[in-house]
Every structure is written in structure tokens, then in C-alpha cells.
Amino acid sequence: MNPFDLMKDFGKVKEQLEKAQEKLAELSATGSSGGNMVVVTVNGKFEMIDIQLDPICVDNRDVPMLQDLIKAAHHAAVENMQAQIKNTLGPMVSGLDIPGMTL
């Protein structure tokens, strides 16, 4: 393969990655658990950016239940973000190895 052709392709890949990063910065997804008692929002980098707790689920006598609800809501938000990324950026990032993503 011609090294100059390879460099041209690298430029295209770099441009696509930059566009993908810009789109990821704009994405957010939510997940909930316990009948919406816990709602978690993540951004395109899978960082938790918001959490909402229904006061009814805040019982200091049952902290493990609240912990489980938070983990379940976060998991749902991450799954929703993965689906959103797949639908939004799938063609652009197909074939790239992104940790935690199976596109």
C-alpha cells in the first residue's frame, strides 16, 4: 500500500472522529428504576450528569435498596446512551473499537 494513500485515509478517519466527538458532547440519555423513583442522566461520555431521587425512596433504614435503585437507573441510562450512539453515529464509527460499545 502506498504510504501517501494511507495518510489520506488517516486524515479522513481523524475528521470523522472529531465529528463523532462533537456529536457525543451533545447527547444525553436517561434511565430510571423503581417506577421512576430514581432517574439518572448520562452524557455521551457515559458520565453521570444528573440524578433525581423521589423523596419516598430516601429512607436511611434501607440504604441498600436506594443503592440498588441508583445502580439500576445508571445501567438503564448507559444502555439508552449506547443505543442512541449506535443510531446516531453508527455509520460514522463502525469498525472503531470504542470501550464499552458494540456497534
Side-chain angles (χ1 to χ4, degrees):
M1 173 174 242
N2 184 339
F4 294 109
D5 290 339
L6 187 60
M7 290 301 289
K8 284 185 211 175
D9 290 343
F10 179 74
K12 289 178 186 176
V13 169
K14 182 179 177 188
E15 184 179 319
Q16 286 180 324
L17 285 173
E18 288 170 355
K19 287 180 183 178
Q21 286 178 333
E22 289 172 11
K23 286 190 179 218
L24 285 175
E26 300 169 4
L27 297 178
S28 68
T30 60
S32 65
S33 65
N36 288 330
M37 287 196 304
V38 176
V39 179
V40 169
T41 303
V42 296
N43 64 15
K45 296 178 183 179
F46 300 98
E47 299 166 333
M48 188 184 308
I49 57 174
D50 188 39
I51 183 168
Q52 297 176 16
L53 303 174
D54 185 323
I56 198 167
C57 71
V58 182
D59 181 354
N60 62 356
R61 295 169 294 168
D62 199 3
V63 172
M65 186 260 321
L66 179 56
Q67 292 168 332
D68 288 343
L69 289 173
I70 291 170
K71 287 187 281 187
H74 183 263
H75 180 75
V78 167
E79 284 183 340
N80 291 339
M81 178 53 67
Q82 288 174 332
Q84 189 173 351
I85 289 172
K86 188 174 186 177
N87 291 334
T88 304
L89 302 178
M92 187 181 297
V93 296
S94 64
L96 298 177
D97 184 24
I98 300 174
M101 292 296 301
T102 53
L103 298 174

